[in-house]
Amino acid sequence: LVIAALGMGLADQDVYLHVAVGRWIVEHGYVPAHDPFSFTMRGAPWVAQEWLSDLLSVSAYRVAGWSGLVFLGAASFGATLAYLMRFLLRRMEPLYALVLACLGASMMLPNLVDRPHEFVWPLTVMWMGGLVQASEENRAPRWWLLGVMLLWANLHGSFILGLALAVAIGMEAVINEKERWNLPAVRWAGFIAASVGCALLNPQGWRLLVFPFQLLAMHVLARLAEWQPTNLQHPQVFGVWLI
């Protein structure tokens, strides 16, 4: 409610783009494969990997204007912290959980922009929480998490990190099971394979799995502030997290 009352989330030009793309998808009935907006490169091949977020953006805009987008982002922010706090309270004292939740909030605030990365914050904590809990309980992750991956892959390209972390936590679960390691290996391998299959259910198909790496290889990203490496010479919350 505080975030919504302050009207935070619109201070970025890309917000307009996502509303425009969502409107274009609604009007034409399909996800564009070529750029319909650029003046200098109109018609160039384009991977609209955030198409579902674009539909969310334009839906919120049509219902309540820019206020709808602000509320959608604020709700995503609040839901993420609510799940994180609930997850931590099951594992530690309330004061420690509150401190970590506040640190999490302070990490999110600089990136509080009503763009696709904000919409997948709740999915990210649900995914990670489900994986960690499965590892703690020596079992495979719940199959309902596949629905989380399906949504995540169509909302934002960071889903590739979710798949990588599933592999890492799955390896940890296998290593911890020293005697009967083959059983968790089969369970986690099946879940990871199913997760990749869910990620493939998108308008771009297998190309979506390659796209994040193609994006990171673009030299133009070095000119954008949000892609700059972290500078630890200045005080920031990320440094506190590392400590």
Side-chain angles (χ1 to χ4, degrees):
L1 290 175
V2 172
I3 297 299
L6 293 176
M8 299 176 64
L10 297 179
D12 192 287
Q13 299 91 330
D14 283 355
V15 177
Y16 300 95
L17 171 66
H18 293 293
V19 172
V21 175
R23 178 184 297 162
W24 193 96
I25 294 174
V26 171
E27 292 175 351
H28 293 80
Y30 64 93
V31 179
H34 297 83
D35 187 357
F37 301 111
S38 175
F39 178 75
T40 57
M41 295 187 65
R42 187 179 184 88
W46 181 37
V47 179
Q49 85 281 4
E50 299 165 339
W51 69 277
L52 192 55
S53 291
D54 299 334
L55 289 180
L56 277 178
S57 297
V58 75
S59 298
Y61 177 76
R62 288 188 170 184
V63 171
W66 297 115
S67 298
L69 272 172
V70 170
F71 181 79
L72 181 62
S76 177
F77 178 82
T80 303
L81 291 177
Y83 184 93
L84 176 62
M85 189 68 179
R86 184 180 181 87
F87 178 86
L88 294 174
L89 283 174
R90 294 176 178 174
R91 291 161 177 81
M92 61 185 67
E93 295 296 326
L95 179 60
Y96 302 149
L98 181 61
V99 170
L100 290 177
C102 288
L103 279 173
S106 61
M107 288 284 288
M108 295 160 62
L109 278 173
N111 301 292
L112 192 65
V113 183
D114 298 328
R115 287 168 49 187
H117 70 265
E118 187 183 53
F119 302 152
V120 300
W121 280 346
L123 300 180
T124 305
V125 292
M126 290 172 62
W127 177 263
M128 286 303 303
L131 296 181
V132 171
Q133 186 173 356
S135 179
E136 290 174 345
E137 298 175 359
N138 296 320
R139 59 168 176 79
R142 302 298 185 190
W143 290 103
W144 63 265
L145 285 175
L146 297 178
V148 173
M149 176 53 62
L150 177 62
L151 289 174
W152 194 355
N154 288 278
L155 285 167
H156 191 252
S158 59
F159 76 94
I160 202 72
L161 294 176
L163 294 176
L165 289 168
V167 174
I169 296 177
M171 292 176 62
E172 179 193 34
V174 172
I175 293 173
N176 290 337
E177 194 69 30
K178 298 180 180 179
E179 296 181 357
R180 300 179 59 187
W181 61 269
N182 57 327
L183 185 58
V186 171
R187 291 175 177 173
W188 278 84
F191 175 80
I192 293 171
S195 300
V196 174
C198 288
L200 291 173
L201 298 177
N202 65 84
Q204 285 79 32
W206 63 269
R207 296 178 181 84
L208 192 66
L209 296 178
V210 183
F211 177 76
F213 302 100
Q214 294 175 335
L215 180 65
L216 292 174
M218 295 175 62
H219 298 294
V220 70
L221 294 181
R223 306 173 187 173
L224 304 178
E226 62 187 79
W227 290 92
Q228 296 295 319
T230 301
N231 186 357
L232 296 177
Q233 292 181 340
H234 305 287
Q236 55 180 298
V237 179
F238 183 64
V240 178
W241 262 114
L242 289 179
I243 294 174

